[in-house]
Amino acid sequence: MVEGGPVKADKTEFTECWKISSKNPYIMKLAFAAGIGGLLFGYDTGVISGALLYIKEDFEEVDKSTFLQELIVSTCVAGAIIGAAVGGYANDRIGRRKTIMVADVLFFLGSIIMAIAPVPAVIIVGRVLVGLGVGMASMTAPLYISEASPAKIRGAMVSTNGLLITGGQFLSYLINLAFTRVRTWRWMLGVAGLPALIQFLLMWSLPESPRWLYRENYVHEAKEILEKLYPEDEVDREIQALRESVESERAMLKGAFTDKVVRRGLYAGVTVQVAQQFVGINTVMYYSPTIVQFAGFASKSVALALSLITSGLNAVGSIISMMVVDKYGRRRLMIISMFGIISCLIILAVVFRQEGCPSKIGFLAVLLLGLYIISYSPGMGTAPWIVNSEIYPLRYRGVGGGIAAVANWTSNLLVSLTFLTMTQTLTVAGAFLMFAAISFIMLVAIFLFVPETKGLQFEEVEKLLRDDYKPGFFKVKAGDQGKGKAPA
């Protein structure tokens, strides 16, 4: 959130996050309550990977149709595209808090419908409803957390949402494995209704984002929340900076795309969101048990157990991100992450060309999947959401985040809807090689369009985008941070 004085980058470390939040647990309470949306996001996108193995057993038509399998997986993503678009509008119209609560209702209804589904078509309806909730939560939760966090720890706090996303994915694999013995997918899909209900009740008791309240002229209410978030001697400074920020962004929405700051923010925000999906991550998260079976592990329980390991590594990577993202920066982490991703995808393509000798290379394939995840998670897993929570001017933050989230989920849909078909036409090796090539293109785009925003106040980010900047590699020159120049 904060708009106050300059913040030095070398102060923005993980220890600072715990220092501040331990003195004021209210900040962490807001972050984790909103972050349950991330948990639901992770669970509902991850649980289908294991549930699909058993849905195919219950419904012969699903077992015989690759397209129907892809449809069951990807309709959640299709719903998320609509949810992200609606969420962008709702964030600005009704506020961050109420948007999260609407998402909870959709999560709950979708989970119950899937759990009682008598035919595959009803599963698909439930997946669409859950997807609507996922799309709204995916862009609203990090935005809410960002606007309730001091700039010096904003990256780490928003990373709690990323941690809960990966935690939700890990939980989904754990529950999938737990229900293997009873062989039911209904409980796998239905239990997501419980955390949705919990978050709805928690958000009922929590305040709206102080930035949104101030913009809507609820000045007294905004000040009351700031008094809970900051020491007494900092509140007036925050109010003053917030006033200046809001007053400078009263322009009409129709001027958004003619504004250089908004355009450059969208170049950066959309680039990182599209890149996050086109590295192929959700082929691993949605289809990891299937990929493990491709590698020669035929048993469903073994495939789910090995997939649990890769999901656990994803959660570990999110913790690493929380520790380093405010120290080393968002852009640097993403670039390093992309190099690791491309390397793993190329080697995976080589390994899967050797299909037919699973006893020799199956374990190697699983190991490489793990390395791919640990390369992805600390950088490309969390940093794109952090960038999108802080790259846009206040007036356009909901709309800008919504556009970028729609780009993310549209890319996700293209990948998840075509992966199994790609493995049939290009082979598994060919699919991984294609993702490696696309990842290289996205690495170049990140280098060209995405500036570093670590430790910057929101108004400093706006100045950075307004000034001309040239891409650099990793070194941040002394004095660049906070002066409108683009640190590499």
Side-chain angles (χ1 to χ4, degrees), residues 24-242:
N24 187 356
Y26 189 70
I27 297 174
M28 190 62 75
K29 178 183 177 181
L30 292 179
F32 274 99
I36 294 177
L39 180 77
L40 288 163
F41 172 0
Y43 185 87
D44 281 306
T45 54
V47 70
I48 196 63
S49 62
L52 186 62
L53 299 178
Y54 297 101
I55 291 173
K56 290 191 293 184
E57 288 187 353
D58 279 6
F59 300 108
E60 185 178 354
E61 61 267 42
V62 176
D63 187 42
K64 291 181 177 180
S65 172
T66 298
F67 174 74
L68 195 52
Q69 293 172 38
E70 290 175 328
L71 195 62
I72 290 173
V73 171
S74 60
T75 45
C76 177
V77 182
I81 295 172
I82 301 171
V86 173
Y89 173 80
N91 269 296
D92 287 336
R93 186 69 176 177
I94 65 173
R96 293 36 164 157
R97 172 177 165 270
K98 289 181 181 178
T99 302
I100 291 174
M101 295 173 72
V102 171
D104 288 328
V105 173
L106 293 167
F107 277 127
F108 185 81
L109 292 176
S111 298
I112 300 303
I113 288 172
M114 288 188 294
I116 63 174
V119 294
V122 178
I123 299 177
I124 291 172
V125 171
R127 291 285 289 168
V128 170
L129 288 175
V130 164
L132 290 170
V134 166
M136 297 179 77
S138 68
M139 50 119 8
T140 307
L143 183 61
Y144 181 89
I145 296 169
S146 174
E147 294 182 345
S149 301
K152 65 176 70 175
I153 64 168
R154 190 170 60 224
M157 296 303 293
V158 176
S159 287
T160 61
N161 185 64
L163 174 62
L164 287 167
I165 290 173
T166 56
Q169 290 170 335
F170 180 78
L171 180 64
S172 72
Y173 285 111
L174 192 63
I175 288 178
N176 282 346
L177 188 60
F179 283 115
T180 297
R181 292 190 177 184
V182 294
R183 306 174 71 84
T184 177
W185 50 270
R186 298 184 184 277
W187 279 103
M188 295 176 184
L189 299 177
V191 295
L194 180 59
L197 180 61
I198 292 172
Q199 185 182 42
F200 183 89
L201 296 175
L202 284 174
M203 294 306 297
W204 190 277
S205 65
L206 291 177
E208 180 53 78
S209 156
R211 293 179 64 82
W212 185 87
L213 286 171
Y214 196 97
R215 198 193 76 182
E216 298 298 314
N217 295 317
Y218 295 105
V219 179
H220 179 70
E221 291 85 346
K223 185 175 181 179
E224 285 185 338
I225 298 167
L226 290 174
E227 288 172 347
K228 295 181 180 179
L229 296 174
Y230 300 102
E232 184 178 352
D233 59 348
E234 295 182 20
V235 173
D236 288 340
R237 185 184 65 182
E238 297 304 323
I239 286 287
Q240 176 61 30
L242 184 58

